[in-house]
Each structure stands twice: as structure tokens, then as C-alpha cells.
Amino acid sequence: MGLPNNYSLEVPERCLDLLTSLLPNVRQNSRQMDRYQGALTTTLTLALATPMLSLPIERIEKHLGLDEGYADDRHLAPELAKRVSEAIVNRRLSDYPAFAALDWHFLEGIPPFNMARGMPGVLARKLNTPEAATAAQEMGFQLFLRCLRNALSHGGIIYLDEHGEATAGEARMLCFVSARPERTRYICDKRDGPCPSHTPKNKDLRLLRVSEEHFQAFLHRWVAWLRDEKLRNLTAA
């Protein structure tokens, strides 16, 4: 296999190729369905989505406006880095109709809860409201991308059924949970030795929900967006 020259562009494209070719086989694998009480479509989708989102964000978007970083692809495609910068500054999700049309729902300022215990019913109901759909349309495009990246990178995923409620069965929706840490400065006045390690507390959570089918459609459009030479085909006129 040829090595990728630009991880931010080529790895997402390869992952999408794998997702497209493997999904039909996973949907028809009766042995796996018997073993796991359903097709492993969600597992496959999330496994391949993680590098598809994290690599371009970590190796291009995260470094915009900064000196060259230790994992920085901007020199490989400086025009792309410039266009990405222009595409995210002061843009909302609604500025990208091909993405916005995928029925996202968004909540922020949510007090931290343990997602391993499932989705609290009150939050499931709030995510089902028109207000949550409007909030998703109005969220900044950079925040939208970072919510997905953070959730995928840190395991912030809740499987939901077709009603948007936590399920132990097959997922029909996905909730991406992203934590917002406290920004208060840590002060250590221990003067007779090194300061102890400090782990910042989470201030609150952001919840971004979409159906599994629409998330798969987003991944296709995401790779097309990365590959678009002008990055304008998916933007509002």
C-alpha cells in the first residue's frame, strides 16, 4: 500500500472507501448479527469516522494562526489551509446546507453526567425539540467540527434508539458528547517541592445528536468538502 503524502486529506479518503465497501458486508453478516444482537454498522462507522475527523482538525485546523506544530500538514497544502481558515471563521453550520440538512440537534451548558449510565430522559426530550434543531443550525461551524472531534477522540458517544433515547440494542441515532473544561487558572503555592499534577474539572457538556444514517452521509460530504478545490460547492450562495 502506498503511504499517504498528506494524512489530512488522504487518510479520510481511504477511510471513506473502506466504509463504503465494508458496510454492505457488515449489514449481511448473519454470524456477527447473531453474536452481537445486530449488525456492527455503528462500530464500523465510528471506528473509521475517528481518523476522518481527527486528522484534518488536528493537523490543519488546530494549527491555524500558530507557528508550525509537531503534527502540522499545512505546508503540504497551504492553499487548503488558507481556504479552511476562511471557511470556519464567522461561519455557522447553516452556512453549509449540505451538512446542515442532516437533521442535527444541539444542546450546550449541560451539567456533567456519567454517559455510561445512559442518556437522562430529560435531555433526550430536550434534544427532540425544535429549539435543539435550531440551536444546531446556529452553532459555529468550528464548534460543530470540534464537538465531533472531541467526542470521537475521548469516547463521548451515546447510542440512541429511533426515539433518541439510550438503548442497549442497535443504534439508530448517535449523541456526540463534548466536555467544556473550567478555564480558571491553577495556582500552586507549595514552595518546598514540585506542584502536584492538576486535572481541570469539566464545567459543562455539549450534546450533538444525529441519526446514524445521516452521520454516514455527513462523512461522505465531509470528504467531498475536504477535496473540493474551492471549498465553495457546499456553502450557501
Side-chain angles (χ1 to χ4, degrees):
M1 180 186 71
L3 295 176
N5 295 316
N6 187 330
Y7 282 68
S8 297
L9 291 175
E10 295 177 44
V11 172
E13 192 171 55
R14 295 179 185 200
C15 288
L16 181 62
D17 201 0
L18 284 171
L19 182 64
T20 302
S21 62
L22 292 176
L23 267 178
N25 295 328
V26 170
R27 291 191 179 108
Q28 298 171 12
N29 192 318
S30 58
R31 289 182 61 188
Q32 287 182 349
M33 285 190 279
D34 290 341
R35 184 182 303 168
Y36 300 107
Q37 291 77 55
L40 296 179
T41 58
T42 309
T43 303
L44 177 64
T45 299
L46 294 176
L48 291 172
T50 300
M52 292 173 73
L53 271 295
S54 63
L55 284 174
I57 292 173
E58 289 293 322
R59 297 174 73 109
I60 292 181
E61 187 272 334
K62 187 176 179 179
H63 298 291
L64 295 174
L66 303 175
D67 294 334
E68 185 167 307
Y70 74 93
D72 189 341
D73 284 345
R74 288 177 298 170
H75 69 287
L76 298 173
E79 286 301 314
L80 172 63
K82 179 182 177 182
R83 293 194 306 268
V84 169
S85 177
E86 293 172 349
I88 63 175
V89 174
N90 298 322
R91 291 278 193 174
R92 296 183 297 178
L93 178 60
S94 58
D95 290 321
Y96 297 85
F99 296 154
L102 296 174
D103 197 27
W104 304 89
H105 287 66
F106 179 62
L107 296 176
E108 61 181 338
I110 303 301
F113 64 92
N114 182 3
M115 71 185 96
R117 298 183 181 274
M119 169 77 77
V122 63
L123 295 180
R125 291 189 289 273
K126 285 184 177 180
L127 277 170
N128 270 331
T129 62
E131 290 78 11
T134 299
Q137 297 295 313
E138 295 178 349
M139 69 188 302
F141 188 56
Q142 186 176 41
L143 175 60
F144 167 74
L145 294 179
R146 290 193 174 185
C147 282
L148 290 175
R149 175 264 172 202
N150 290 346
L152 288 165
S153 298
H154 299 291
I157 311 292
I158 303 177
Y159 287 16
L160 305 174
D161 63 17
E162 64 272 19
H163 305 295
E165 299 177 355
T167 179
E170 287 191 81
R172 291 291 181 264
M173 295 184 182
L174 300 169
C175 184
F176 297 90
V177 182
S178 174
R180 187 166 66 119
E182 291 278 6
R183 296 299 182 187
T184 53
R185 183 181 176 187
Y186 174 64
I187 300 176
C188 175
D189 56 4
K190 184 178 180 181
R191 302 178 184 225
D192 57 350
C195 289
S197 60
H198 172 63
T199 302
K201 294 182 179 180
N202 291 325
K203 181 178 182 180
D204 52 33
L205 303 176
R206 298 180 173 110
L207 311 181
L208 183 60
R209 195 197 75 181
V210 69
S211 72
E212 180 178 317
E213 181 180 358
H214 280 188
F215 184 61
Q216 290 164 352
F218 164 74
L219 295 175
H220 282 265
R221 299 175 191 190
W222 168 245
V223 173
W225 189 81
L226 290 173
R227 279 295 182 187
D228 185 355
E229 291 183 356
K230 296 184 179 179
L231 291 184
R232 295 195 181 101
N233 290 353
L234 299 181
T235 62

